[in-house]
Amino acid sequence: MSLSVDWIRHRFGKLASREASETNSETTPLLRSTAQKRNWIYPYNKHIVFPNNGLFIQDFKKFTSNYPGNKIRTTKYTLLSFLPKNLLEQFYRLANLYFLFLVILNWFPQMEVFHREITMLPLVIVLTVIAVKDGLEDCRRYSFDRKVNNARTRAFDWKHKDYVERCWKDVRVGDFVKVVCNEIIPADILLLHTSDVNGVCHIETANLDGETNLKQRRVVRGFLSPDSPFVPEHFNSTIVCEKPNNDLNRFKGYMENPDKKKIGFDRKSLLLRGCTVRNTEEAAGIVVYAGHESKAMLNNSGPRYKRSKLERRMNIDVFFCVGLLIIMCLIGALGHVIWLGSFPDWPPFEVPDENGKFTSPALAGFYMFFTMIILLQVLIPISLYVSIELVKVGQVFFLSSDIDFYDEEMDKLLQCRALNITEDLGQIQYIFSDKTGTLTENKMVFRRCTIGGTEFSHQENALRLAAHGDVDSDEEEAVGPQRGHRSRLQFNSKNKSTRAFRRCHSAKAYYYGGYGRKKSEARRDSEVAFSSPLETDVTPDKKLMKIAREAANQMEMWCEVRYSSDSASYVDFFLALAICNTVVVSTATEPRHRVTGPSLLKPSIKSLEKLHSFLQKLKPGRISQVLSSIQSNSDQTGGTNQISPSPSGTSVGEENVAGECSSSVSGGFKDSGVSSKASTDSGDYAEGVKVGDEICYEAESPDEAALVHAAKAYNFTLMSRTPDHVTVRLPQGVLLTFEVLHTLSFDSTRKRMSVLVRHPITREIIVYTKGADSAIMDLLENPSQENRKENKITKNASKTLKHLNWYAKDGLRTLCIAKKVLSEKSYEQWSNIRLEAEAAIENRDELLMETALNLETNLTLLGATGIEDRLQEGVPDTIEALREAGIQIWVLTGDKQETAVNIAYSCKLLDQRDTVFTINTDSKETCESILDYTIEEVKRYAAVKNTRTKLFKVPVDVGTVYPLEGAGPTFGLVIDGNTLSLVFEGNLKMKFLELAKHCRSVLCCRSTPLQKSTVVKLVRDKLKVMTLSIGDGANDVNMIQAADVGIGISGQEGMQAVMASDFAISHFKHLKKLLLVHGHWCYTRLSNMIIYFFYKNVAYVNLLFWYQFFCGFSGASMIDYWLMIFFNLFFTSLPPIIFGIMDKDISAETLLGLPELYKSGQNSEGYKWSTFWIAMLDAFYQSLICFFVPYLTYQGSDIDIFSFGTPINTLALFTILLHLAIEIKTWTVVHWVTMIGSVIFYFIVAIVFSATCISCNHPSNPYWIMEREMADPVFYLVCIITPVLALLPRYLIRVIQGTFVLCPLLKARQLDKLDKEQRDEEISEWRERTRSREATVPLSNLSPPTSPTSPGNSGHPLGRTLTFEAPLNVDLGNDGTTPPGRSMLNGTVTENIYTSIPVSSADRTGDGGKKAEDDSDAFCAGHQRSFSIMTI
């Protein structure tokens, strides 16, 4: 309900009085007198800024010392803090603490196993490797910080009384800073002065959020002085604003003058650090936030670190290894006690202490427990964590280097911002996607419109768009660089010395490392956003063009009849398209230079004739009225409205009557400084649109650009825009200059924007509004039933609504256009309240919202537009492949339901064979009833489907992939935002999930950003599934951050989604390869490598454990300590790392051709409980073979302990590396080099160590052991036979699996061995068999459920011609009865186009009060269940 102006004023008055009573806590003292000293009370919740201009020296020093400087430091360490801080961070990892504990244990003589230095070696090496890596990364950050901090800017020095050059790092809060065109802003600056006469500064925020369109920032109110330069010495105000925060869209505060007057300001006056000044010669302001307190730095979170699902599972298995280690140590301790007890007296080797006492067996067993922990420490794989980090770095490198992810237009590859969740890409089960800009191109193309209830289909424009689809995109790219080249020449022609460094410095987005602007930056600096030929070239409808031209020529009727004619609505419609926006006008030759006035050149003779013809139509009486209107207007505005000749008009003097009338048409340029005398001269501050110049529009959104280009196509051309005026050229060439009174910007709450203008002819105050139909239709005036004219308005609204539904069904984005005429008294009353709200300090946003809501009421509908947002290339194929991969896809969008559903069918999110449930309700009870009934019916078919699916399940080895779908219908769900609110508020979440998890696709329409993130969290937490969110806009940030994996698309809505994401791609189609190929590879590689590491460590440690049974569990080792330590650190570490980075079990072509192979990752078949324990059993078996074969070989011989251990160590190396060779699926040169190199490196180290180490490990002596073993033939025989016996079972299992092909993954590997043609043919046959398997049981054999519906409803088999219809608005018949196909349900109307679900069986009645019965199968394939309950 709209709020009254009096109520708002009353509320604001209360707030103002409350504020006045609290001024002690908020008021900032001002200038101090020389004779008076003031006591400061620092407001803890405010940010106070004193200017550094010599007037506030003491206060400036006092407060500025509490604020950080502008020097930034993104490094983590300093030279002094590097070692302690890095070690502290590394010891957060439990594995490092575990090995530190072992090092400490080994320092106790009773438990010492190795030399103390040897025990420390593994931990020292691991800590050193990670420290070096962290140090190199920090060095790169340091060099980058130094480059930024030493950048130059101009700051005011009150001692020199001028601006001087300073480094960025020397700028402080309170300094006055001047920036020039194309310069990057060094800190967050409150704008106090610009070279623009209207106090506007244009900035480009590409470095901050990726958006290349220009944003306007305005000088703080009261500081606009175009005729005088800004003098910082005269600034005597104190600035009070909010504490630093990371919200880019929030900033408010006030200035307090010496007279205690407060001047409020907001984010429109704030220049953010990192933005680039455009289209403004110079700007100056005062620094309010600097360095790390600037909003850009507060948003610089850097790469995000998450724990992947695989890592969480691995940590559990590490605890299993700890348990296994404890068991083995307990066995060793118990065995040692038993062994000591077997001696009748103390063992002869036992040495008593200094008191002659021997250690008791129990205490010796206790010591032996810890000794065994030290001996078997390798069971806990410390090297695994380092290897995982290296593997993930390698995986990220290959991800970022994949040329298939390269976008030539944006010059970007895939970016990985989260470095440790690459394997999660292979386990995704649910995808949540935005629609606009994610599934679609976000290139808005004007398609159709309806004006006054008349629809114009624009068939010619449809043909143009169809032709565009066949043209290669290279043609568009050829246009852009040419335009950009001209503009760069134009930029370089001015201020060369100043801008040379600025341009170079702006070529890197230094806040978000790695995803900067490279080659595309050159284009962004010059190209205009949303200006591709597809968007700008609109082919007008011939009929509408004729009507619009005739309507524009009947302008003399406007003065007699105030917009009462039908033709006036057409002119108003196109004027609203051209005016109701924030588009900045520029020219093609200078696309970054705003046009602020029409052309000041002499117009052509043809244009003069057109204007003369127009003036001839005006009656003499009307001319005098127009002249008097001009005179009165001139008196009211203080003579500031001057004559501005049209490019098609004439340049005349003040006494020329035609010129006088022309001024009334072309309007006045307030404060423009353009007069009739200057009509033949060039303006000082702005250049008009020269003859032949092409106009460019800098829009903040693609929707605005599309509407302005549509108006231009009908010759309603937006010519110039200033904060106070906007000029439009009419079809006959006449210029209308509207005075802009207020602009109510678009926000997600109101879902609309409005602009208040004063019409140059009628002098009426008009509100032009555009917005979503759901927001506009409820604000239309409510006419009475008696007035025929008002009935006509009602019919126009009804027709427009019908046209809107048509547009939505065609997948078009709809916007309604409306207007409202205000009286002078109403406007004055509203304007006063608006000004008070703008000047408010507290509750400013709420007050502004209230004033906007009060104004936007009782609107008159002009028409509506249909804008097409085309699907991105490859979206249908990508969605189809992801669905075949077993991934559930949900689309969460804020668009209309009909639009979203149409797009869903176009992109194959919904299939024509799906049974789609559409739930729209405003009642919690109705929602619960619908959910209960639908869940019951869906479960019946789900049970039938699961029963038949079991026919295809075969108990096979890991990697089993079941059919995508079973026999039976597949379901889809469409739900709107209102119903979602009921679900969340009414504790219906679990019922909603129960229904949604049986649906193949879910479409949530009219969803808010909060609802999007709530849905993602609900599915993630309750269903315990892996989720992925993908979006391109700021409204998708919450959703992206809520998912396990967040993906941002660098599209036309900026880079806020990219900055919040884990991975960044350029197009939705890249998601297919990212998940199906790289996701599968990353998960398979890492899971296999982790399993291999566990196997390797357990197998090697068990060799030492088996030896304890033959040495009295004394903790002795038959392998030299140095070789044992090097075994895991060097000899067997590199091959598994290469295996984890480069192995490819299946080729990319096969993975893309058979998406169902992705299910192996979803089911965690590469790494699960059974896989882990099978690897452990295999490790135990191989360790038994590797120990007892040499033991039996050398049994009875007189070899020493190291001569026995060296062959075991060598054959263990062969066995472990050959085990890896069996697991490697793709051999490359790197694999061969690392495998052979590891063996050679082992022999080199062992030979050199044996030849040089005489007393390295006293009292043992490994001297010449390796040389003697290599001279013995038995050594070679054992090293050959033992690995064969150890690996034979695993090899036979792999052979059997490859022979019988029980697993789809194995079959896919066999397909890779075929040539391309055979492989493609086999893949096609495989897919056909899968589809035939899905359709084995005909749907007609399924018994239909009973579903109560209204009379007259029958099955509606849609087949391949599905016509979706969701009744958003319900009309009763002329006689008040319910139209056919609808039934009354307790005061609600339920649409029964397909079928409807009643609230309850007791309340279900038809038109005649009879219970409805259903005699059809509503769940047949192709049916759509529409549950649309609308209260009337």
Side-chain angles (χ1 to χ4, degrees):
M1 180 180 294
S2 60
L3 301 173
S4 67
V5 176
D6 293 334
W7 186 87
I8 295 176
R9 173 174 291 180
H10 172 71
R11 178 175 177 181
F12 178 79
K14 293 176 65 178
L15 291 173
S17 62
R18 188 186 312 164
E19 179 185 79
S21 63
E22 299 175 355
T23 52
N24 291 333
S25 61
E26 297 183 359
T27 302
T28 304
L30 299 174
L31 290 174
R32 73 174 69 196
S33 62
T34 56
Q36 183 180 7
K37 184 177 179 180
R38 297 177 300 187
N39 295 323
W40 283 96
I41 301 178
Y42 184 76
Y44 68 93
N45 61 341
K46 299 295 183 183
H47 185 82
I48 301 180
V49 179
F50 287 96
N52 183 18
N53 58 359
L55 300 179
F56 298 83
I57 294 299
Q58 296 181 9
D59 296 329
F60 172 78
K61 292 181 178 180
K62 179 180 179 181
F63 279 86
T64 305
S65 62
N66 298 322
Y67 303 143
N70 202 40
K71 181 179 179 179
I72 64 169
R73 188 173 72 89
T74 60
T75 57
K76 296 169 62 176
Y77 315 105
T78 63
L79 289 177
L80 296 178
S81 67
F82 174 73
L83 189 60
K85 191 173 182 180
N86 187 264
L87 289 176
L88 182 63
E89 290 178 353
Q90 293 197 54
F91 281 120
Y92 281 140
R93 182 169 287 171
L94 294 180
N96 293 338
L97 285 176
Y98 164 76
F99 279 91
L100 179 63
F101 170 71
L102 296 182
V103 170
I104 297 174
L105 274 182
N106 199 61
W107 280 71
F108 291 93
Q110 297 88 345
M111 293 170 282
E112 183 178 359
V113 178
F114 310 121
H115 286 295
R116 298 168 181 175
E117 298 80 6
I118 297 178
T119 310
M120 295 176 59
L121 186 62
L123 181 61
V124 170
I125 291 178
V126 169
L127 296 178
T128 302
V129 170
I130 297 179
V132 169
K133 178 181 73 72
D134 293 342
L136 291 176
E137 291 179 354
D138 218 47
C139 285
R140 287 194 294 267
R141 286 191 288 263
Y142 171 76
S143 60
F144 186 73
D145 291 345
R146 185 171 59 180
K147 179 180 177 181
V148 173
N149 291 328
N150 291 329
R152 310 293 289 181
T153 189
R154 296 181 63 82
F156 181 77
D157 189 338
W158 61 274
K159 295 180 180 179
H160 293 83
K161 301 184 183 300
D162 197 4
Y163 288 95
V164 297
E165 276 202 355
R166 286 185 189 172
C167 294
W168 279 25
K169 63 182 179 181
D170 298 328
V171 174
R172 304 283 297 178
V173 173
D175 283 348
F176 292 92
V177 174
K178 179 189 291 186
V179 289
V180 297
C181 188
N182 297 331
E183 180 180 355
I184 295 181
I185 301 169
D188 289 352
I189 299 174
L190 186 65
L191 185 61
L192 300 177
H193 169 75
T194 73
S195 58
D196 187 271
V197 294
N198 298 289
V200 174
C201 176
H202 292 86
I203 61 173
E204 180 187 272
T205 60
N207 283 353
L208 205 58
D209 56 17
E211 298 181 8
T212 58
N213 49 295
L214 297 184
K215 277 85 172 175
Q216 289 188 4
R217 295 295 181 263
R218 302 195 64 174
V219 169
V220 176
R221 189 159 43 89
F223 283 85
L224 178 60
S225 55
D227 299 332
S228 60
F230 175 70
V231 182
E233 294 176 287
H234 297 165
F235 184 84
N236 56 2
S237 300
T238 305
I239 297 173
V240 180
C241 56
E242 60 189 10
K243 287 286 188 179
N245 59 76
N246 62 352
D247 191 345
L248 297 175
N249 298 316
R250 192 188 76 183
F251 176 72
K252 61 182 180 180
Y254 61 88
M255 289 184 183
E256 187 168 354
N257 296 332
D259 57 358
K260 302 293 184 179
K261 181 181 179 182
K262 295 180 180 179
I263 301 176
F265 50 76
D266 55 16
R267 66 182 182 90
K268 293 183 180 179
S269 299
L270 184 66
L271 305 181
L272 296 178
R273 175 187 176 117
C275 297
T276 306
V277 177
R278 302 290 190 196
N279 192 25
T280 306
E281 290 302 321
E282 66 177 35
I286 186 171
V287 176
V288 290
Y289 304 127
H292 289 278
E293 287 190 346
S294 62
K295 291 183 178 291
M297 293 303 298
L298 291 174
N299 276 275
N300 181 24
S301 58
R304 306 175 61 222
Y305 293 92
K306 295 182 177 180
R307 290 179 58 198
S308 65
K309 180 181 179 181
L310 191 61
E311 185 177 351
R312 294 193 296 268
R313 172 65 190 174
M314 182 192 69
N315 290 335
I316 297 176
D317 291 338
V318 168
F319 282 107
F320 282 133
C321 289
V322 172
L324 183 62
L325 175 64
I326 292 175
I327 293 174
M328 296 171 69
C329 293
L330 287 174
I331 293 174
L334 182 62
H336 187 63
V337 172
I338 296 174
W339 184 69
L340 290 177
S342 63
F343 291 92
D345 200 354
W346 295 106
F349 52 83
E350 189 76 18
V351 179
D353 58 14
E354 62 273 7
N355 299 323
K357 296 182 180 180
F358 291 89
T359 305
S360 65
L363 183 59
F366 176 76
Y367 288 152
M368 186 51 60
F369 175 82
F370 291 102
T371 301
M372 291 291 292
I373 287 181
I374 298 173
L375 178 67
L376 306 178
Q377 61 177 299
V378 185
L379 187 64
I380 308 300
I382 184 175
S383 58
L384 175 59
Y385 291 96
V386 181
S387 301
I388 288 176
E389 288 193 11
L390 296 177
V391 166
K392 289 185 177 181
V393 170
Q395 290 179 348
V396 168
F397 172 78
F398 284 111
L399 272 171
S400 304
S401 303
D402 193 336
I403 196 64
D404 290 339
F405 294 137
Y406 178 68
D407 181 75
E408 185 176 0
E409 182 181 355
M410 305 186 71
D411 189 37
K412 290 180 180 178
L413 285 164
L414 178 141
Q415 183 202 8
C416 180
R417 295 175 55 83
L419 306 179
N420 54 347
I421 59 170
T422 54
E423 66 272 23
D424 280 348
L425 294 173
Q427 300 178 276
I428 299 302
Q429 296 166 286
Y430 279 76
I431 291 180
F432 300 90
S433 173
D434 180 37
K435 183 186 76 68
T436 304
T438 304
L439 302 178
T440 60
E441 293 180 344
N442 203 18
K443 290 184 177 180
M444 305 303 175
V445 182
F446 182 82
R447 280 293 308 272
R448 311 175 73 166
C449 69
T450 173
I451 307 175
T454 304
E455 206 276 333
F456 299 94
S457 60
H458 290 72
Q459 295 298 329
E460 299 86 350
N461 198 41
L463 295 175
R464 178 189 70 88
L465 296 176
H468 255 289
D470 301 331
V471 177
D472 187 29
S473 60
D474 291 342
E475 295 183 7
E476 289 188 19
E477 297 176 0
V479 177
Q482 295 175 3
R483 183 183 302 168
H485 180 67
R486 291 195 301 268
S487 63
R488 284 193 291 272
L489 292 177
Q490 184 69 22
F491 279 141
N492 294 335
S493 64
K494 300 178 180 179
N495 297 338
K496 292 183 179 180
S497 60
T498 305
R499 300 174 189 173
F501 172 75
R502 311 298 179 194
R503 175 73 65 186
C504 157
H505 190 68
S506 66
K508 188 175 182 68
Y510 53 85
Y511 294 118
Y512 314 102
Y515 211 65
R517 306 184 300 165
K518 300 177 183 177
K519 284 171 34 179
S520 60
E521 176 66 19
R523 293 196 303 269
R524 287 185 178 181
D525 284 345
S526 54
E527 282 189 352
V528 177
F530 321 124
S531 60
S532 66
L534 181 68
E535 299 168 283
T536 59
D537 299 339
V538 179
T539 304
D541 186 273
K542 294 182 179 179
K543 178 181 177 183
L544 181 57
M545 173 66 84
K546 181 179 179 181
I547 295 175
R549 189 174 298 168
E550 292 176 353
N553 289 330
Q554 297 175 0
M555 292 180 58
E556 69 274 12
M557 298 295 297
W558 296 4
C559 300
E560 298 177 356
V561 183
R562 296 290 179 94
Y563 296 87
S564 60
S565 64
D566 294 338
S567 61
S569 62
Y570 288 89
V571 176
D572 269 328
F573 178 83
F574 288 110
L575 287 176
L577 296 187
I579 292 175
C580 190
N581 51 67
T582 57
V583 172
V584 177
V585 184
S586 59
T587 61
T589 54
E590 293 182 321
R592 300 267 115 167
H593 288 262
R594 178 170 58 92
V595 175
T596 56
S599 174
L600 301 177
L601 299 180
K602 186 175 181 179
S604 62
I605 298 299
K606 184 177 181 180
S607 299
L608 291 174
E609 292 176 354
K610 286 185 178 181
L611 183 59
H612 180 72
S613 175
F614 166 74
L615 294 175
Q616 291 289 338
K617 297 179 181 180
L618 294 178
K619 300 177 182 179
R622 289 305 308 154
I623 294 179
S624 60
Q625 294 179 15
V626 170
L627 293 176
S628 61
S629 174
I630 295 174
Q631 182 63 34
S632 62
N633 176 49
S634 178
D635 295 338
Q636 292 174 1
T637 58
T640 57
N641 282 353
Q642 305 293 338
I643 301 174
S644 177
S646 163
S648 302
T650 182
S651 176
V652 291
E654 296 178 359
E655 298 178 358
N656 192 317
V657 177
E660 297 274 4
C661 191
S662 174
S663 69
S664 70
V665 177
S666 62
F669 273 45
K670 185 178 181 180
D671 295 332
S672 64
V674 180
S675 63
S676 59
K677 182 178 180 180
S679 61
T680 58
D681 301 327
S682 298
D684 294 334
Y685 71 94
E687 296 181 5
V689 181
K690 306 298 189 300
V691 178
D693 274 357
E694 179 185 352
I695 293 179
C696 296
Y697 295 127
E698 299 269 3
E700 293 190 7
S701 70
D703 300 79
E704 282 192 345
L707 296 180
V708 173
H709 285 297
K712 181 184 176 184
Y714 286 93
N715 295 325
F716 287 81
T717 306
L718 177 63
M719 299 298 295
S720 66
R721 178 184 298 277
T722 67
D724 299 324
H725 292 88
V726 58
T727 302
V728 179
R729 184 174 62 192
L730 300 181
Q732 66 269 30
V734 177
L735 293 182
L736 286 180
T737 298
F738 294 83
E739 181 186 356
V740 179
L741 304 176
H742 290 278
T743 299
L744 308 182
S745 303
F746 176 88
D747 61 69
S748 58
T749 303
R750 291 166 41 247
K751 297 182 180 180
R752 57 187 177 271
M753 79 161 292
S754 299
V755 57
L756 278 78
V757 297
R758 186 181 297 276
H759 199 283
I761 298 178
T762 63
R763 309 306 300 165
E764 289 180 326
I765 298 174
I766 304 175
V767 181
Y768 287 115
T769 303
K770 70 174 180 183
D773 55 283
S774 60
I776 299 297
M777 301 303 286
D778 294 337
L779 302 177
L780 299 181
E781 56 183 340
N782 188 18
S784 62
Q785 299 292 330
E786 300 177 357
N787 193 317
R788 176 181 298 181
K789 177 180 177 181
E790 293 177 341
N791 286 337
K792 183 178 180 180
I793 295 176
T794 303
K795 291 182 179 179
N796 288 343
S798 178
K799 292 179 180 179
T800 301
L801 185 60
K802 181 172 67 174
H803 298 156
L804 287 172
N805 291 332
W806 290 356
Y807 295 167
K809 292 175 186 177
D810 289 340
L812 303 182
R813 294 167 58 90
T814 57
L815 283 175
C816 286
I817 312 298
K819 62 169 288 189
K820 176 182 180 179
V821 179
L822 286 179
S823 65
E824 289 287 347
K825 181 179 179 181
S826 299
Y827 168 71
E828 183 179 357
Q829 186 180 16
W830 179 88
S831 178
N832 292 334
I833 298 178
R834 180 72 179 185
L835 291 177
E836 292 176 351
E838 290 176 350
I841 306 302
E842 298 295 332
N843 301 319
R844 183 174 184 272
D845 295 336
E846 292 80 359
L847 293 171
L848 291 176
M849 176 64 70
E850 289 175 356
T851 58
L853 294 176
N854 179 76
L855 179 69
E856 296 166 334
T857 57
N858 296 324
L859 303 176
T860 300
L861 184 64
L862 297 176
T865 61
I867 300 175
E868 180 181 9
D869 188 6
R870 313 181 91 185
L871 277 179
Q872 291 185 18
E873 180 185 358
V875 168
D877 294 338
T878 301
I879 290 181
E880 184 179 18
L882 294 177
R883 292 180 63 169
E884 291 181 12
I887 300 176
Q888 305 293 324
I889 303 178
W890 293 28
V891 172
L892 313 178
T893 178
D895 278 354
K896 282 190 65 176
Q897 183 169 290
E898 292 84 352
T899 303
V901 169
N902 186 280
I903 294 295
Y905 279 104
S906 301
C907 67
K908 297 185 179 180
L909 179 70
L910 295 176
D911 191 84
Q912 301 290 355
R913 297 169 295 178
D914 292 346
T915 300
V916 181
F917 300 97
T918 303
I919 305 179
N920 300 328
T921 178
D922 294 328
S923 169
K924 173 187 172 183
E925 293 75 14
T926 304
C927 181
E928 185 174 7
S929 177
I930 291 174
L931 290 175
D932 291 337
Y933 180 84
T934 311
I935 291 172
E936 179 184 352
E937 297 298 335
V938 169
K939 281 185 176 179
R940 289 190 56 189
Y941 282 100
V944 174
K945 188 164 90 170
N946 292 336
T947 302
R948 290 188 167 86
T949 302
K950 292 180 181 179
L951 297 174
F952 305 111
K953 290 185 177 180
V954 181
V956 295
D957 196 3
V958 295
T960 303
V961 179
Y962 302 116
L964 177 65
E965 304 290 348
T970 55
F971 303 105
L973 175 63
V974 179
I975 189 170
D976 67 345
N978 291 333
T979 310
L980 273 179
S981 299
L982 296 176
V983 167
F984 295 140
E985 296 171 2
N987 297 323
L988 303 177
K989 299 178 183 178
M990 298 311 299
K991 292 184 178 181
F992 168 71
L993 277 184
E994 183 69 22
L995 172 61
K997 71 180 182 181
H998 289 95
C999 297
R1000 192 167 66 157
S1001 300
V1002 177
L1003 182 61
C1004 300
C1005 312
R1006 296 293 191 191
S1007 303
T1008 64
L1010 180 60
Q1011 286 179 332
K1012 291 182 180 182
S1013 62
T1014 305
V1015 169
V1016 175
K1017 293 177 182 177
L1018 179 66
V1019 174
R1020 182 198 65 194
D1021 298 335
K1022 299 299 182 181
L1023 298 184
K1024 305 298 181 183
V1025 294
M1026 290 294 294
T1027 58
L1028 180 149
S1029 293
I1030 180 171
D1032 73 316
N1035 59 333
D1036 304 319
V1037 169
N1038 294 337
M1039 175 179 71
I1040 289 173
Q1041 293 179 335
D1044 295 295
V1045 179
I1047 295 184
I1049 293 184
S1050 52
Q1052 302 210 42
E1053 291 191 27
M1055 287 182 59
Q1056 295 187 40
V1058 169
M1059 292 186 291
S1061 66
D1062 303 310
F1063 300 89
I1065 58 179
S1066 300
H1067 301 285
F1068 184 83
K1069 66 180 180 180
H1070 293 160
L1071 196 62
K1072 179 179 179 181
K1073 187 174 184 181
L1074 180 62
L1075 297 186
L1076 302 186
V1077 178
H1078 287 285
H1080 174 84
W1081 283 346
C1082 290
Y1083 170 74
T1084 304
R1085 292 165 175 169
L1086 203 58
S1087 60
N1088 290 339
M1089 190 204 74
I1090 293 174
I1091 290 293
Y1092 175 78
F1093 256 95
F1094 282 120
Y1095 146 80
K1096 174 173 70 75
N1097 287 24
V1098 172
Y1100 191 70
V1101 164
N1102 278 344
L1103 298 176
L1104 304 176
F1105 181 70
W1106 302 137
Y1107 181 69
Q1108 301 306 307
F1109 288 89
F1110 300 93
C1111 68
F1113 296 95
S1114 61
S1117 172
M1118 72 289 192
I1119 304 173
D1120 186 84
Y1121 299 149
W1122 284 101
L1123 294 179
M1124 188 166 61
I1125 295 298
F1126 287 170
F1127 189 90
N1128 275 312
L1129 287 180
F1130 300 113
F1131 302 149
T1132 59
S1133 59
L1134 189 57
I1137 291 177
I1138 299 301
F1139 172 64
I1141 295 176
M1142 302 186 64
D1143 190 53
K1144 297 180 180 179
D1145 59 336
I1146 304 174
S1147 66
E1149 293 77 10
T1150 304
L1151 288 172
L1152 291 174
L1154 297 171
E1156 62 187 76
L1157 299 175
Y1158 184 80
K1159 291 183 179 179
S1160 62
Q1162 291 177 329
N1163 300 329
S1164 300
E1165 293 173 357
Y1167 187 178
K1168 54 185 178 182
W1169 183 85
S1170 60
T1171 310
F1172 172 78
W1173 287 110
I1174 288 174
M1176 294 299 99
L1177 292 176
D1178 194 17
F1180 271 89
Y1181 164 77
Q1182 292 184 22
S1183 65
L1184 285 170
I1185 297 298
C1186 291
F1187 179 82
F1188 283 101
V1189 168
Y1191 173 79
L1192 296 175
T1193 301
Y1194 293 104
Q1195 190 176 19
S1197 64
D1198 60 350
I1199 63 172
D1200 60 85
I1201 182 174
F1202 283 167
S1203 296
F1204 172 66
T1206 299
I1208 293 179
N1209 198 45
T1210 304
L1211 61 88
L1213 176 70
F1214 288 156
T1215 302
I1216 289 173
L1217 291 181
L1218 289 175
H1219 179 104
L1220 180 62
I1222 294 176
E1223 299 301 319
I1224 293 177
K1225 310 303 185 303
T1226 305
W1227 283 86
T1228 64
V1229 175
V1230 181
H1231 288 87
W1232 284 106
V1233 170
T1234 54
M1235 295 287 281
I1236 298 175
S1238 296
V1239 175
I1240 295 176
F1241 183 62
Y1242 167 76
F1243 278 99
I1244 293 174
V1245 172
I1247 292 173
V1248 172
F1249 179 77
S1250 298
T1252 58
C1253 184
I1254 299 176
S1255 59
C1256 297
N1257 197 8
H1258 183 75
S1260 61
N1261 183 10
Y1263 181 71
W1264 216 251
I1265 294 292
M1266 194 65 182
E1267 284 78 1
R1268 286 199 301 266
E1269 290 294 331
M1270 294 183 67
D1272 184 5
V1274 178
F1275 171 78
Y1276 296 99
L1277 184 62
V1278 170
C1279 289
I1280 293 174
I1281 294 177
T1282 305
V1284 172
L1285 293 176
L1287 296 174
L1288 186 60
R1290 173 168 289 272
Y1291 181 76
L1292 289 177
I1293 291 176
R1294 296 304 185 199
V1295 170
I1296 294 173
Q1297 289 178 341
T1299 302
F1300 293 98
V1301 195
L1302 299 177
C1303 172
L1305 292 177
L1306 295 175
K1307 182 177 180 180
R1309 292 170 196 158
Q1310 291 187 349
L1311 294 180
D1312 284 335
K1313 301 177 182 178
L1314 305 175
D1315 58 64
K1316 187 178 185 302
E1317 294 182 359
Q1318 284 184 304
R1319 182 181 61 194
D1320 293 342
E1321 183 178 351
E1322 288 291 334
I1323 290 176
S1324 300
E1325 293 179 1
W1326 185 337
R1327 294 172 67 90
E1328 288 298 328
R1329 287 194 300 269
T1330 303
R1331 293 192 181 98
S1332 63
R1333 204 162 54 229
E1334 296 170 11
T1336 300
V1337 182
L1339 298 178
S1340 58
N1341 293 343
L1342 299 177
S1343 58
T1346 58
S1347 56
T1349 58
S1350 301
N1353 181 47
S1354 60
H1356 187 75
L1358 300 177
R1360 299 186 61 83
T1361 57
L1362 174 64
T1363 305
F1364 181 88
E1365 190 160 347
L1368 296 181
N1369 293 270
V1370 178
D1371 299 326
L1372 297 177
N1374 295 331
D1375 56 353
T1377 60
T1378 306
R1382 298 176 183 174
S1383 61
M1384 291 299 298
L1385 298 177
N1386 294 338
T1388 65
V1389 176
T1390 304
E1391 186 71 39
N1392 290 322
I1393 296 177
Y1394 306 113
T1395 190
S1396 297
I1397 299 300
V1399 176
S1400 64
S1401 58
D1403 296 334
R1404 184 174 64 253
T1405 57
D1407 291 344
K1410 300 178 181 180
K1411 289 186 177 182
E1413 299 178 357
D1414 185 20
D1415 57 354
S1416 63
D1417 180 9
F1419 279 88
C1420 286
H1423 283 210
Q1424 178 163 343
R1425 308 281 304 240
S1426 181
F1427 307 145
S1428 302
I1429 313 298
M1430 302 301 296
T1431 303
I1432 59 172

